[in-house]
Amino acid sequence: MLLRIPALLTPDEVRHCRQALEAASWQDGKATAGHVAAQVKSNLQLPLDSKTGQQIGDLILDRLGRNPLFMSAALPLKVLPPRFNRYEGGGTYGNHIDNAFFTIPGTAIKVRTDVSTTVFFSNPEEYEGGELIVEDTFGQQSVKLAAGDAIVYPGTSLHRVNPVTRGTRYASFFWTHSLVKSAEQRRLLFDLDQSIQQLTQEQPEHPRVAALSGTYHNLLRMWSES
């Protein structure tokens, strides 16, 4: 499932974050790439211990925790602190699948990369190229969203970032360790949850609301690994 989350951050929040990102010190993105990924990666990233990255990352996580669409789709158990990249001057990241696990910096806690998320900090008209291309069972999708929007997709997906030939593309990326490992099961739970919410809004006294809600939670209980 590929899901857009519109306006995760407000225009004022995006503006503040952009100013901080533009003033930050960046390093070669290969520093955090594995052997295979390093062969196709050409971008800049904030160091993992960057104070700017930590502050903006905390803001992103706070907004995600309040976003019912993300919570319903990702069913988060653990979230890796957001990272940040910058593409310009032909920068690109070729086809790859992310590592299955990452360790939260400074801890021994491992995060399984069930769900990938990208938050955009540049508007599409600010740069040429830079599309996030995601390939999975749903086909190939080209993603280039407004600043402040986020895209959520399975961590198992083959994906790439096309070369940025004009301007600069700023974004955040991170992974969620979901309560439910299976992407297919997460999709079923998401669809059921959205249907329950719609029914609750349209017919809050409908007798099937409680039954459907019970079915949702029983499935979550059955499929959850926590």
Side-chain angles (χ1 to χ4, degrees), residues 67-73 75 189-204 208-209 212-213 216:
N67 189 284
L69 200 58
F70 175 81
M71 298 300 289
S72 178
L75 297 171
L189 287 167
F190 176 77
D191 289 344
L192 179 56
D193 184 42
Q194 296 303 297
S195 296
I196 292 170
Q197 291 187 39
Q198 183 176 352
L199 179 60
T200 302
Q201 291 176 359
E202 296 174 353
Q203 301 183 54
R208 300 307 300 167
V209 169
L212 288 171
S213 180
Y216 172 86

Side-chain angles (χ1 to χ4, degrees), residues 86-147:
R86 172 176 173 173
Y87 290 85
E88 58 192 1
T92 184
Y93 198 166
N95 278 335
H96 65 285
I97 293 177
D98 298 318
N99 291 351
F101 288 89
F102 284 100
T103 302
I104 295 178
T107 77
I109 300 172
K110 292 187 178 296
V111 174
R112 191 179 62 223
T113 57
D114 298 321
V115 179
S116 298
T117 303
T118 296
V119 181
F120 291 82
F121 286 99
S122 299
N123 282 308
E125 64 271 15
E126 295 184 78
Y127 60 100
E128 291 181 359
E131 299 86 0
L132 172 64
I133 306 298
V134 182
E135 300 182 19
D136 209 310
T137 54
F138 45 74
Q140 178 175 292
Q141 301 289 329
S142 177
V143 182
K144 192 173 182 178
L145 302 182

Side-chain angles (χ1 to χ4, degrees), residues 18-62:
R18 269 292 295 273
Q19 290 173 351
L21 291 171
E22 289 169 358
S25 297
W26 296 79
Q27 67 179 18
D28 191 332
K30 288 184 172 64
T32 59
H35 174 72
V36 175
Q39 309 304 310
V40 295
K41 187 176 187 180
S42 176
N43 66 3
L44 298 174
Q45 285 185 203
L46 288 186
L48 297 182
D49 61 355
S50 165
K51 295 298 182 183
T52 295
Q54 292 170 5
Q55 291 170 356
I56 301 176
D58 287 344
L59 173 65
I60 291 172
L61 294 180
D62 177 76

